[in-house]
Amino acid sequence: MKNKDKDMNEIINHLKTFGFVFQSSEIYGGLSNTWDYGPLGILLINNIKKNWWKKFITLESKNVGFDSKVILNSKVWQSSGHLQNFADPLIENKINNKRYRADHIYEEITNQNSSSLTDKELENWIKENVKEYDNSKTDWTEIKHFNLMFKTAQGVVEQTKNQLYLRPETAQGIFINFNNVQRAMRLKLPFGIGQIGKSFRNEVTPGNFIFRTREFEQMELEYFTFPNDDENAYKYYVEKSKNFILDLGINKESIRLRIHSEDELAHYAKATTDIEFEFPFGWGELMGIANRTDFDLKAHNKFSDIELKYFDQESNQTIIPYVIEPSVGVDRLMLAIIVDSFCIEQIDQKDSRIIMKLDYKLCPYKVCVLPLVKAQSLQSKKIMEYLNENDIETNFDESGSIGKRYRRQDAIGTFWCITYDYDSDIDNSVTIRNRDTMKQERIKIDQIIDYINKNSNTK
Ligand code: ATP
């Protein structure tokens, strides 16, 4: 089944039923476009983050990790240009009183990028061509710019002097610490600094479930390199990012690479490639890889008291490094993984099953141990504990028929089911069932870990 033929509402209901995602603040009527992650959702998210960290930090010996704060000195956002430029063009339809992103309307209708148009040109085009939109007649306002940063204040006095912002990206927290990290870790160019953390954007049109929310999490790497080696590093990280996505088990037909045209590039970027994913609601950006040049370090050098720079001993020169940034949203990636893995499989003429064909390393539970009857609970729980102690996330289910329990585990993506039965006490063996093939094998209890490691994709 293709992603575009999958039913988003069915997927959302499934995620609620099985404890992946809940509407946030539900008992108070919810908060629009805000979602909480349940016990299975957080296990999936942790596995996604673990894998990103392994691929972008641990296995890249030149890269290190970091964790900066959500609220930074507001001069950071002045220097980075976010205070002036981080705004979306907003247009309102006076008939239905709804607000829209003007660029999105244009792009949706023409299938062309709008960045070469001025606000006035965009506004005129919409006024002339879009007489009906979103099931409503239209009477458009002027385009206004709306800064996406959430404002807050620190301390007891709420003065404009104290105006602070929730970060809209994690990257700036890394840039402003460039000297600290480079010196403390004695890093030689090129090297990367990566971080996973929350970002906040007061999006004009959030929606499509967790695709676009106002609070979300990002995984960003800022890879600092010599200015004349930026293009190689950029190519390397485009390829690496694509492989990272595919290694998570996402089908290659579900993604495509989109290179930004010159007139579409952000003001700080020399080149950008988006990795797009086909969601049930259409293609959307999943991950972006940008060559940010020396824009950010230079911007901070202009406004701060300390210069961010690198002394290259070999050439005896001071350098402002170029930055390659692969950036991906955790929530959006989780949605892509869920959509891609969700399927309804016909077993025979009258029976079907819902299955989340998650890659082994992402499964919230790798294994579920099922005692055939409740009297075997104790022995089964011992197996569960043993596997959990060995870092194989395992749960336990003793209620309902074995067939129903298998279905439940298929529906949450559990890779292996282990059934403890009447013979297990005698032959020290259990039956292990594979989620995808439904094939079962009898194996010795002391060989479970070897069996799982041999037959699962643990990379
Ligand atoms: P978009 O065009 O979808 O608004 P963007 O180009 O502004 O995204 P970036 O600033 O490049 O996004 O952010 C990097 C990544 O962070 C995106 O590829 C996406 O995965 C994620 N992301 C950005 N905004 C949101 C959001 N509002 N909700 C969830 N994830 C987001």
Side-chain angles (χ1 to χ4, degrees), residues 82 86 88 101 103-104 148 168-169 199-203 205-207 209-220 260 268 272 274-275 284-290 292 325-333:
H82 281 84
F86 199 56
D88 282 337
R101 286 264 301 263
D103 52 338
H104 283 178
L148 297 183
E169 60 176 29
S199 292
F200 300 81
R201 296 182 188 177
N202 202 356
E203 298 274 4
T205 48
F209 191 39
I210 53 172
F211 177 81
R212 188 183 301 286
T213 51
R214 292 187 168 120
E215 173 180 344
F216 57 99
E217 216 166 1
Q218 289 184 306
M219 305 190 280
E220 296 196 297
H260 284 212
Y268 53 75
T272 296
D274 285 347
I275 301 178
E285 175 184 331
L286 180 60
M287 182 163 189
I289 303 94
R292 294 181 77 126
E325 176 196 72
S327 170
V328 58
V330 177
D331 315 65
R332 207 175 272 189
L333 182 53

Side-chain angles (χ1 to χ4, degrees), residues 111-228:
N111 238 336
Q112 279 175 20
N113 194 269
S114 65
S115 39
S116 59
L117 303 180
T118 62
D119 278 355
K120 210 65 215 156
E121 285 167 337
L122 189 56
E123 184 186 306
N124 288 342
W125 187 90
I126 290 175
K127 283 181 173 165
E128 263 166 46
N129 296 287
V130 191
K131 306 284 182 203
E132 257 187 49
Y133 192 72
D134 197 10
N135 298 321
S136 163
K137 296 237 174 296
T138 61
D139 179 8
W140 298 108
T141 61
E142 286 184 353
I143 286 180
K144 283 193 201 118
H145 276 266
F146 176 74
N147 196 293
L148 297 183
M149 282 197 292
F150 275 98
K151 289 179 186 157
T152 186
Q154 193 161 269
V156 284
V157 193
E158 289 202 21
Q159 299 170 340
T160 31
K161 233 170 60 186
N162 287 342
Q163 186 77 80
L164 292 165
Y165 302 89
L166 305 187
R167 69 178 175 204
E169 60 176 29
T170 62
Q172 298 302 326
I174 293 176
F175 296 137
I176 59 174
N177 277 285
F178 174 81
N179 286 359
N180 288 337
V181 179
Q182 189 271 324
R183 276 198 211 119
M185 305 306 287
R186 291 171 288 119
L187 297 171
K188 294 248 182 303
L189 215 60
F191 62 86
I193 308 178
Q195 144 158 248
I196 300 178
K198 287 271 172 102
S199 292
F200 300 81
R201 296 182 188 177
N202 202 356
E203 298 274 4
V204 177
T205 48
N208 283 329
F209 191 39
I210 53 172
F211 177 81
R212 188 183 301 286
T213 51
R214 292 187 168 120
E215 173 180 344
F216 57 99
E217 216 166 1
Q218 289 184 306
M219 305 190 280
E220 296 196 297
L221 177 78
E222 308 307 319
Y223 185 76
F224 300 93
T225 187
F226 291 99
N228 60 7

Side-chain angles (χ1 to χ4, degrees), residues 221-249:
L221 177 78
E222 308 307 319
Y223 185 76
F224 300 93
T225 187
F226 291 99
N228 60 7
D229 201 35
D230 62 328
E231 286 175 19
N232 284 332
Y234 173 70
K235 272 191 216 134
Y236 176 82
Y237 274 104
V238 170
E239 195 57 23
K240 185 177 173 84
S241 300
K242 188 183 88 189
N243 290 334
F244 162 68
I245 304 275
L246 295 177
D247 281 350
L248 294 174

